[in-house]
Amino acid sequence: MSARTKALAATALLIAVATATCAGGNGGGVPPTDHPSGSPTESPSAAEGTTATLPRTLTGQRLEWRKCPAPTPLQAADAEAPAPLPDGTPWECTTLEVPLDYGRPDGETIDLAVIRAKAKPEEGQPRIGSLVFNFGGPGGSGVAYLPLFASVDRDYQALHSRYDLVSFDPRGVGASAPVRCLDDKAKDEAAERIDDSPDDDAELRALIAHSEKDTAACEKNSGQVLSHVGTTNAARDMDLLRQVLGDDKLNYFGLSYGSELGGVYAHLFPERVGRAVFDAVSDPTQDAAQEHLTQTEGFQLALDHYLEDCAAKPDCPAGRTVQEGRRTIIDLLGELDGRPLPTEDGRKLTQGLALGGILLALYSEDLWPLLTDALTEAQRQRTGDLLLALADELSERDSEGRYTTLWDALGAVTCADDKDRYTVDDVRAAMPAFREASPVFGESFAWSLLSCTGWPVEGENRDPQVQAAGSAPILLVGTTGDPATPYAGTLRMADELGEGVGVVLTYEGEGHGAYGTDACVATAANRYLLDGVLPEDGTVCP
């Protein structure tokens, strides 16, 4: 795929729940001080909500920046060392030391991988500070994704004129105390053998046994960090990063799950929020079952929009109407349930992998032509190479069969955050609603409710706490056709943040996230980040 296409594919990082169960130096040259304005020296305890003082060894650490190597296979699939930005600015990498347990700040620490491109201010436009990005997941590697997006997108490059562009691998991700569960071979075997929409008791027993095996592997390989990878701790890490970078306020850009992380940060540290933008905003009011059902509806809506668009084109492989297209997709998936298609590398395109490939293509309208080509290949050539390639992008599997930490970390963070644990009976009771929401995705999304069942760590909340009275305004960008974070969640995030905090900008379009896709959205977001000027609440970008 081209860099632009890979960047688009990289937005597929929230919870594509249907595949989750089957795929199994210092910043800017500003020296840190002992107690700068808004320092995190008093930080709430992860477990009890009390305060714990961070030691000077952490708050006063000086980052040693160096040339960035290529991302590891745990961070990105088939990635090379990041090339300089178009203006020649190189990428620099370092590690930030943070407490493993914020309730014991003098205890064991872990290192977080961090990347930056230093600002290149223009005359009369001084550097503002650092702008920290989180690209979602949970489980996305900021070290891998920030250079990927910034290299192809002029909107990101414009921000570089006044900000150090900064991102990091959150705890549990990539090069930051990574969560590892089953090995790569076992992941491949599960993708080919396990049916994530079981048709009978035998397939259900196999699905549950695989989930138990995966959970045991997570506990065996990463048990030390599983209790500490939740979003609350990631938000505290961002505040320590803010201080060590030398910034009084956190300027922040969060996409998808990154909006949840940003909301939790604003809740914990409202007085330390600088200029912030949330794109593809997650709904902070829903429990896991509600979120899965809403996403089921969102992906079905996106698929219907694709099918409508496809039907208007000659040689559409899905037919001439949306209903005909739905039936074509359902029939294809049904055939694959018993007879997977061959591919060039010897792997089989199963029902679950095909569904994952379809899901990936629905994250951006620019990926729809790839889906058309993939469906055409499956129907006419009876091979599954293109759908498998899309599925591999979703699961972040590289050409050598190595997986990043995306799905392992996604499961660990999700289960550390969410209290709810569902049973088979719960899923069966919910199944009619999921099937009604989507005849294509409903069953797989429903069964994915078992993802945290039997997890060794108790979840923190049923929904994230994002109330942020006293915070600076936060620009919320919601897309009306977003499949993974449906638009209604943007309005609920605004309500939860509190009066005067959430400012809603609506993009009437398709895809997961609008920044970098729509010029109107990018102009509004950059005007706020660069000049401090917000659009009027309720502004619509057509």
Side-chain angles (χ1 to χ4, degrees):
M1 291 185 176
S2 68
R4 176 62 181 165
T5 300
K6 287 186 74 66
L8 290 167
T11 63
L13 291 177
L14 190 63
I15 304 176
V17 289
T19 58
T21 55
C22 72
N26 77 90
V30 181
T33 58
D34 287 333
H35 302 287
S37 173
S39 84
T41 52
E42 295 294 328
S43 182
S45 164
E48 301 172 359
T50 57
T51 59
T53 301
L54 296 183
R56 172 69 175 137
T57 54
L58 296 179
T59 61
Q61 63 186 292
R62 292 180 179 271
L63 303 179
E64 297 181 4
W65 296 96
R66 60 194 180 278
K67 181 180 179 180
C68 292
T72 71
L74 295 183
Q75 293 174 301
D78 295 319
E80 299 178 351
L85 288 171
D87 65 8
T89 303
W91 292 98
E92 301 174 310
C93 288
T94 190
T95 56
L96 174 75
E97 187 179 5
V98 302
L100 174 65
D101 182 351
Y102 274 90
R104 298 179 176 84
D106 290 309
E108 187 173 353
T109 62
I110 56 176
D111 289 335
L112 305 186
V114 182
I115 191 169
R116 77 170 178 187
K118 294 182 68 175
K120 198 168 187 178
E122 300 172 356
E123 185 175 352
Q125 298 290 321
R127 174 184 177 275
I128 296 172
S130 303
L131 180 61
V132 177
F133 290 83
N134 180 277
F135 292 95
S141 167
V143 171
Y145 284 119
L146 179 57
L148 180 62
F149 281 96
S151 67
V152 299
D153 200 314
R154 292 182 180 179
D155 299 323
Y156 286 87
Q157 294 163 19
L159 297 170
H160 175 240
S161 66
R162 301 194 67 189
Y163 287 103
D164 295 348
L165 304 184
V166 177
S167 194
F168 65 107
D169 289 356
R171 52 176 63 211
V173 176
S176 299
V179 172
R180 297 297 287 153
C181 301
L182 292 174
D183 62 27
D184 297 331
K185 182 180 179 181
K187 285 182 169 67
D188 272 351
E189 291 174 350
E192 187 165 324
R193 183 175 57 85
I194 301 301
D195 189 337
D196 68 341
S197 56
D199 303 308
D200 53 40
D201 289 343
E203 289 186 347
L204 177 57
R205 286 193 298 270
L207 176 65
I208 293 172
H210 166 68
S211 180
E212 292 172 345
K213 181 179 178 181
D214 188 53
T215 296
C218 296
E219 188 170 18
K220 177 182 177 181
N221 297 329
S222 303
Q224 181 184 22
V225 300
L226 293 184
S227 297
H228 307 291
V229 296
T231 299
T232 298
N233 281 334
R236 291 174 181 140
D237 291 341
M238 285 206 304
D239 199 56
L240 180 56
L241 176 63
R242 171 202 62 79
Q243 183 184 12
V244 173
L245 290 172
D247 294 318
D248 289 342
K249 303 280 188 179
L250 178 73
N251 302 304
Y252 178 74
F253 201 126
L255 290 94
S256 194
Y257 161 80
S259 65
E260 179 180 325
L261 175 59
V264 171
Y265 180 91
H267 174 70
L268 292 174
F269 310 107
E271 74 284 0
R272 300 175 198 168
V273 175
R275 297 174 186 175
V277 174
F278 299 170
D279 188 14
V281 183
S282 62
D283 188 336
T285 68
Q286 295 184 322
D287 62 24
Q290 293 168 332
E291 181 181 15
H292 286 208
L293 183 59
T294 299
Q295 285 190 327
T296 305
E297 296 167 343
F299 277 104
Q300 185 62 54
L301 178 65
L303 178 62
D304 288 348
H305 288 172
Y306 159 75
L307 293 172
E308 182 178 12
D309 180 79
C310 182
K313 294 180 171 60
D315 298 324
C316 173
R320 311 316 316 165
T321 67
V322 170
Q323 288 300 325
E324 188 177 343
R326 282 187 177 192
R327 175 48 53 192
T328 298
I329 298 292
I330 292 168
D331 288 346
L332 173 62
L333 294 172
E335 292 172 11
L336 293 174
D337 194 22
R339 297 188 299 277
L341 290 178
T343 66
E344 285 186 358
D345 72 355
R347 296 158 64 207
K348 301 291 187 180
L349 178 73
T350 63
Q351 181 189 63
L353 287 170
L355 196 66
I358 294 169
L359 281 167
L360 186 283
L362 298 178
Y363 275 91
S364 170
E365 191 172 358
D366 288 350
L367 296 177
W368 289 1
L370 291 179
L371 179 55
T372 295
D373 290 344
L375 294 174
T376 299
E377 179 202 11
Q379 287 185 339
R380 298 178 184 175
Q381 301 178 28
R382 304 307 297 170
T383 55
D385 293 286
L386 292 177
L387 275 173
L388 184 62
L390 289 168
D392 283 350
E393 286 291 334
L394 182 65
S395 62
E396 295 198 347
R397 180 191 189 273
D398 71 12
S399 58
E400 297 183 31
R402 299 172 299 190
Y403 290 81
T404 71
T405 58
L406 172 62
W407 289 101
D408 289 346
L410 185 151
V413 175
T414 299
C415 297
D417 284 350
D418 295 344
K419 272 188 177 296
D420 291 309
R421 302 292 186 260
Y422 297 95
T423 67
V424 170
D425 287 343
D426 292 331
V427 174
R428 285 174 170 156
M431 188 63 73
F434 278 84
R435 285 174 175 153
E436 182 178 355
S438 172
V440 176
F441 306 112
E443 290 194 10
S444 291
F445 277 56
W447 284 113
S448 70
L449 289 172
L450 298 178
S451 297
C452 291
T453 301
W455 193 252
V457 174
E458 183 179 351
E460 183 177 353
N461 296 298
R462 283 197 164 79
D463 46 57
Q465 302 303 299
V466 300
Q467 301 80 10
S471 168
I474 298 172
L475 181 60
L476 309 178
V477 182
T479 298
T480 55
D482 193 322
T485 51
Y487 176 74
T490 305
L491 305 181
R492 295 190 185 111
M493 175 69 83
D495 288 341
E496 291 296 302
L497 287 171
E499 186 175 356
V501 178
V503 176
V504 174
L505 173 65
T506 300
Y507 169 53
E508 292 185 338
E510 301 295 326
H512 186 46
Y515 186 84
T517 297
D518 180 72
C520 170
V521 169
T523 297
N526 282 12
R527 192 179 184 205
Y528 180 46
L529 292 170
L530 294 171
D531 303 320
V533 179
L534 279 163
E536 183 178 350
D537 185 32
T539 296
V540 177
C541 284

